[in-house]
Amino acid sequence: MKRSLVIILLILLPQFYANASKQTAYVMPRTQVIPIKDSKANRQYELFIRLPEGYSKNANTKYPVIYSTDAVWHMETLAGVTEYLMPNVIIAGISWQTDLKDDTPNASRFRDYTLIKSTDPTNPEGEAANHLSFIRNDVIKYVENNYRTDPNERTYLGYSLGGLFGAYILFSKPDTFKHYILGSPYFSEQRVRYIDDFEAQMRPLQKDFNANVFVSIGEQETPRLSLTQDYITVLQRRSKLGLSITGLEIIRGTNHATAFPETTIRAVKWLSQQVSK
């Protein structure tokens, strides 16, 4: 009897594994993955485009767009939150470089999102200006040429180093986005000084500053909590030129790793109120 059972199991096991191999990976609804090239730097990335429900039926509707860095980490949370708080929005998640010869999938973010070039030739940090050029000239153009978007309602969402990168965009090319969500920006004393000096340098060249800014940080993020408050002071210089600042949202009981979910909820709720004005 036992021998018969073993024989039956041996016969059924290949069929079981064959059926298991046919299972498909979960695909986020209404989401496309689009290869896109940085035309200037000759680097390959991907865009994760999530369309709102009813996009294909509402042929005359133009939608606001949330552009997010670190797309692999952010898409699920951002898609879930907007589904409830801001359903009529397109999400454009920007990946890390996909053809970088490095074993770390997110290695390019340390180069693309940082501001200050390293004196170490083996360290590629400090290419924020190049990455901003890619977003302006390749990413935004692709999205607005291929989807029904409202160019007056672009939002940037960045967290950690992505928040630092957004802080740079805001003073470098503020017209890139109308709304800026900067979650737990990864500031150091050197980076805050750089932005402080950069803002003073750019101020005479920027007469109008039509942008809204949401900045948040986890309550337990020391010493970046005080550095982020210093950054808010830099932002306040531009308040008379049209920059609207919420102040600093402190996410109680969280650190740098745990503040992201509630940051996204608060930020999208804030954004929905800005877009509806």
Side-chain angles (χ1 to χ4, degrees):
M1 181 67 178
K2 289 183 178 179
R3 184 179 179 185
S4 299
L5 287 173
V6 170
I7 293 172
I8 292 171
L9 285 172
L10 289 174
I11 294 171
L12 292 177
L13 274 175
Q15 183 178 354
F16 170 80
Y17 284 115
N19 290 335
S21 66
K22 293 179 183 177
Q23 294 178 354
T24 56
Y26 171 75
V27 177
M28 187 181 295
R30 309 189 307 277
T31 304
Q32 307 164 339
V33 179
I34 310 293
I36 188 167
K37 191 173 186 179
D38 181 336
S39 57
K40 183 178 179 181
N42 194 29
R43 296 166 179 162
Q44 194 67 42
Y45 293 80
E46 289 178 336
L47 294 180
F48 301 169
I49 306 294
R50 188 173 194 271
L51 301 175
E53 189 171 359
Y55 176 87
S56 60
K57 296 179 181 179
N58 302 323
N60 296 320
T61 302
K62 294 186 176 181
Y63 296 88
V65 183
I66 300 174
Y67 293 84
S68 174
T69 48
D70 291 318
V72 172
W73 291 339
H74 294 175
M75 284 297 293
E76 289 94 340
T77 302
L78 192 52
V81 171
T82 54
E83 190 75 16
Y84 290 95
L85 297 179
M86 196 177 176
N88 294 320
V89 68
I90 295 172
I91 301 172
I94 307 167
S95 80
W96 308 306
Q97 184 181 349
T98 58
D99 61 343
L100 184 65
K101 295 179 181 179
D102 193 295
D103 293 334
T104 308
N106 66 353
S108 64
R109 71 192 298 267
F110 300 97
R111 176 198 67 209
D112 290 343
Y113 304 163
T114 52
L115 323 177
I116 304 169
K117 289 190 176 295
S118 172
T119 56
D120 180 355
T122 65
N123 184 349
E125 286 189 6
E127 293 196 20
N130 293 339
H131 199 59
L132 176 55
S133 176
F134 163 60
I135 290 175
R136 287 174 62 89
N137 297 324
D138 297 309
V139 172
I140 292 176
K141 284 184 179 179
Y142 177 86
V143 172
E144 294 187 352
N145 286 338
N146 289 276
Y147 301 95
R148 298 192 311 276
T149 71
D150 182 351
N152 296 316
E153 292 294 351
R154 297 183 200 140
T155 298
Y156 173 84
L157 185 149
Y159 190 84
S160 189
L161 281 179
L164 172 67
F165 180 54
Y168 166 77
I169 298 173
L170 187 57
F171 291 130
S172 177
K173 300 288 185 182
D175 63 335
T176 306
F177 303 99
K178 183 177 180 180
H179 313 288
Y180 289 80
I181 296 169
L182 313 179
S184 297
Y186 208 78
F187 288 132
S188 64
E189 290 185 7
Q190 184 185 25
R191 287 167 176 169
V192 172
R193 284 197 304 270
Y194 178 94
I195 290 176
D196 192 350
D197 293 341
F198 186 60
E199 186 279 331
Q201 174 188 342
M202 298 300 292
R203 195 186 318 158
L205 307 176
Q206 298 165 343
K207 301 302 181 184
D208 296 321
F209 214 83
N210 184 24
N212 305 310
V213 188
F214 175 99
V215 186
S216 67
I217 193 166
E219 182 182 28
Q220 299 168 7
E221 293 191 60
T222 53
R224 279 187 295 276
L225 180 56
S226 61
L227 292 172
T228 305
Q229 290 169 332
D230 292 341
Y231 174 67
I232 293 291
T233 301
V234 177
L235 288 177
Q236 288 170 343
R237 297 178 194 162
R238 296 298 186 97
S239 60
K240 294 181 180 179
L241 297 177
L243 180 65
S244 175
I245 314 161
T246 61
L248 180 58
E249 287 277 324
I250 298 177
I251 313 299
R252 301 295 178 189
T254 64
N255 56 33
H256 193 70
T258 59
F260 178 71
E262 189 172 343
T263 294
T264 307
I265 293 170
R266 291 195 195 184
V268 171
K269 187 175 182 180
W270 166 84
L271 179 61
S272 67
Q273 295 167 349
Q274 304 305 312
V275 172
S276 63
K277 288 182 179 178

